[in-house]
């Protein structure tokens, strides 16, 4: 009975509760070179090894000077020059300026930099243009303005992307301590599935979920472990489950609906599973299963509570993608030790009204294309036409899912709506 199923919000809160618990059981740590640290999670705080900037730095090409002297518009003598990479010079003699380049250390005694474009240079003398004034500190970033030596700049649990790599490099870290990635076993079930390389016989399809989910696992901070496709029979499922027991998280695709060959739940039960929910009031993805298995030996992450999570994602590719993003990604992020906020929702303006929907009671996640860019405007989102949750081509034309709340039958053009980014 769908009314007995949790709503999206209830299921998400339940999963978030488990994610918080998992985040507390810290994963093992390894050291990786900075060049392979992208997508990993910091296992220790990142600290500044010296002040940032390490010296008072000019942000312009021009003339280091005293703001009061320059603003009097008298010609000032050119006393010297410093370019980027040279040691700080000075002190700056009274009544003079010092030629300086962007990124160069400002000589002691100077308190502003006159931009080259604002200077009148003649006969070895430099004068600020009469239309200009200079304030103390202008075009200079003071030493330590961004960080002081020893400051904690990033905390453990920060996901490492390009900006964090830049910071680590600036602070002299050629390698970083990161959490070991949680291993997520991907078990695609279905008698109809053949590998990508095979020519499907009549009635067969290629297993597209396994490579999709592997990509999603990696993006969520996990190490994907794609197992061979599992046939729709008890023996194959039991064997696959036993093999996958080493992983830190188990992700099944297919076999969780109410059909005669939907045998994943019974197999999980035989392995001692405890189910947190077996269905959520969402579309697509309603048959989603979430629970825990008793731990035997996790490969990488120690789960001290003695249980490991599993998800049974419905096999339709759009259902698999939506349920992974909504529920499996936060659990993986927690297992990876990351406190990055997932899933990523945003607001956008709907460009065209949605069709009336006659079946309320399910939060819907519809493939949509969002364009970003117009200054001062919300992103604009439009539905992608699709033929249901098996429509991989439609999903591939989308970059987000439009969220239609449970009780909403239609969303009007111009409405501010929620989107789930993928
Ligand atoms: P199921 O959830 O097993 O009932 O499958 C629902 C639909 O998704 C069926 O049309 C399946 O053929 C399809 N499907 C299941 N697994 C996959 C997969 N790994 N790749 C692509 N399609 C799949
Ligand atoms: Mg199936």
């Amino acid at each position: 009975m769908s009314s007995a199923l949790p709503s999206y919000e209830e299921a998400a809160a339940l999963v978030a509760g488990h994610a918080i618990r998992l985040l507390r059981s810290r994963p093992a740590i390894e050291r990786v070179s900075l060049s392979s640290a992208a997508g990993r999670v910091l296992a220790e705080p990142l600290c500044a090894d010296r002040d940032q900037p390490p010296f008072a730095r000019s942000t312009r090409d021009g003339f280091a000077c005293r703001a009061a002297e320059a603003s009097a518009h008298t010609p000032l003598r050119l006393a010297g020059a410093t370019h980027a990479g040279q040691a700080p010079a000075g002190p700056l003699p009274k009544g003079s300026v010092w030629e300086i380049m962007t990124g160069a250390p400002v000589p002691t005694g100077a308190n502003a930099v006159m931009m080259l474009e604002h200077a009148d240079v003649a006969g070895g003398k430099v004068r600020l243009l009469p239309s200009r004034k200079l304030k103390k500190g202008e075009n200079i970033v003071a030493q330590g303005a961004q960080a002081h030596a020893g400051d904690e700049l990033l905390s453990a649990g920060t996901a490492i992307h390009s900006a964090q790599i830049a910071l680590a490099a600036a602070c002299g870290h050629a390698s970083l301590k990161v959490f070991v990635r949680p291993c997520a076993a991907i078990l695609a079930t279905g008698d109809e599935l053949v590998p990508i390389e095979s020519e499907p016989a009549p009635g067969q399809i290629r297993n597209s979920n396994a490579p999709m989910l592997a990509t999603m696992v990696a993006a969520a901070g996990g190490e994907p472990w794609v197992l061979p496709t599992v046939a729709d029979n008890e023996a194959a499922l039991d064997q696959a489950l036993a093999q996958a027991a080493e992983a830190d998280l188990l992700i099944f695709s297919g076999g969780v609906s109410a059909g005669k060959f939907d045998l994943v739940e019974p197999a999980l039960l035989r392995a001692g599973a405890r189910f947190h929910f077996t269905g959520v009031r969402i579309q697509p993805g309603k048959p989603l299963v979430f629970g825990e298995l008793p731990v035997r030996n996790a490969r990488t992450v120690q789960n001290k509570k003695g249980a490991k999570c599993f998800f049974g994602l419905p096999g339709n590719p759009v259902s698999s993608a939506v349920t992974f993003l909504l529920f499996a990604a936060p659990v993986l992020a927690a297992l990876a030790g990351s406190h990055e906020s997932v899933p990523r929702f945003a607001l956008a303006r709907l460009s065209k009204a949605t069709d009336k929907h006659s079946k309320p009671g399910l939060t819907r996640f519809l493939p949509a294309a969002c364009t970003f860019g117009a200054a001062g405007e919300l992103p604009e989102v439009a539905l992608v036409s699709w033929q249901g949750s098996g429509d991989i081509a439609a999903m591939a034309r989308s970059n987000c899912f439009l969220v239609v709340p449970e009780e909403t039958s239609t969303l009007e053009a111009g409405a501010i709506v929620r989107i789930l980014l993928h």
Side-chain angles (χ1 to χ4, degrees):
M1 277 276 293
S2 70
S3 58
L5 298 179
S7 65
Y8 162 65
E9 288 77 12
E10 287 163 345
L14 198 145
V15 168
H18 284 276
I20 289 170
R21 178 174 62 72
L22 292 169
L23 193 54
R24 284 200 213 105
S25 58
R26 292 249 155 153
I29 293 171
E30 63 182 336
R31 186 175 277 283
V32 294
S33 72
L34 196 56
S35 57
S36 50
R40 306 299 299 269
V41 177
L42 273 182
E44 63 178 9
L46 190 133
C47 296
D49 65 329
R50 57 182 188 154
D51 290 353
Q52 289 292 348
F55 45 82
R57 183 180 65 207
S58 175
T59 62
R60 303 286 184 182
D61 293 324
F63 301 95
C65 57
R66 289 184 183 82
E69 286 180 354
S71 296
H73 302 290
T74 47
L76 301 166
R77 193 175 61 83
L78 187 55
T82 305
H83 57 76
Q86 288 188 316
L92 178 71
K94 280 230 153 59
S96 58
V97 297
W98 195 275
E99 191 180 16
I100 197 154
M101 317 299 155
T102 302
V106 175
T108 54
N111 61 18
V113 170
M114 183 193 308
M115 285 169 64
L116 196 56
E117 298 86 327
H118 298 167
D120 175 14
V121 186
K125 299 267 176 159
V126 177
R127 206 158 57 103
L128 183 64
L129 293 180
S131 57
R132 297 281 167 180
K133 288 271 182 226
L134 255 185
K135 287 199 297 284
K136 247 186 178 174
E138 218 169 316
N139 303 323
I140 295 175
V141 185
Q143 176 174 342
Q146 292 150 5
H148 287 109
D151 280 357
E152 179 177 321
L153 304 179
L154 298 173
S155 60
T158 302
I160 303 169
H161 304 296
S162 51
Q164 292 74 28
I165 298 246
L167 184 62
C171 293
H173 300 281
S175 65
L176 291 171
K177 276 191 180 169
V178 298
F179 290 127
V180 170
R181 270 187 298 229
C183 170
I186 296 167
L187 300 116
T189 73
D191 285 341
E192 72 279 33
L193 303 177
V194 296
I196 316 173
E197 303 77 24
S198 303
E199 188 56 45
Q204 295 185 325
I205 60 166
R206 294 192 182 92
N207 174 7
S208 58
N209 281 351
M212 173 183 78
L213 291 169
T215 309
M216 296 178 95
V217 163
E223 182 200 334
W225 177 27
V226 178
L227 281 104
T229 303
V230 190
D232 288 321
N233 66 65
E234 286 186 3
L237 280 161
D238 288 346
Q239 199 199 340
L241 245 172
Q243 196 189 349
E246 262 187 57
D248 301 302
L249 175 70
L250 274 63
I251 300 174
F252 287 87
S253 117
V256 290
S257 309
K260 195 169 168 187
F261 293 100
D262 290 326
L263 303 173
V264 169
E265 276 176 64
L268 285 163
L269 265 181
R270 286 195 295 280
R274 204 156 65 86
F275 291 94
H276 298 310
F277 54 73
T278 54
V280 186
R281 298 205 310 270
I282 56 172
Q283 186 192 51
K286 190 166 149 219
L288 172 71
V289 168
F290 172 50
E292 279 171 88
L293 279 166
V295 162
R296 292 198 192 95
N297 53 332
R299 197 156 82 168
T300 49
V301 176
Q302 290 303 315
N303 184 341
K304 296 180 186 75
K305 283 273 173 140
K308 81 176 68 172
C309 293
F310 62 79
F311 287 94
L313 313 182
N316 263 314
V318 184
S319 313
S320 282
V322 165
T323 49
F324 182 96
L325 279 177
L326 291 175
F327 301 105
V331 167
L332 255 177
L335 282 169
S338 163
H339 28 72
E340 207 168 55
S341 153
V342 272
R344 293 187 308 148
F345 288 104
L347 293 180
R349 194 179 304 280
L350 187 64
S351 59
K352 189 165 166 272
T354 58
D355 289 341
K356 275 220 162 23
H357 186 67
S358 52
K359 212 167 85 184
L362 300 175
T363 304
R364 288 179 299 149
F365 297 87
L366 310 176
C370 181
T371 45
F372 302 86
E377 286 289 325
L378 276 177
E380 182 101 344
V381 67
L383 285 179
V384 164
S385 72
W386 69 317
Q387 304 301 317
S389 50
D391 194 343
I392 307 175
M395 181 165 66
R397 289 193 301 271
S398 75
N399 61 3
C400 65
F401 295 99
L402 171 67
V403 185
V404 186
E406 243 185 43
E407 298 314 327
T408 305
S409 72
T410 183
L411 289 165
E412 299 301 334
I416 293 174
V417 293
R418 268 181 109 201
I419 56 173
L420 167 66
L421 296 166
H422 71 73

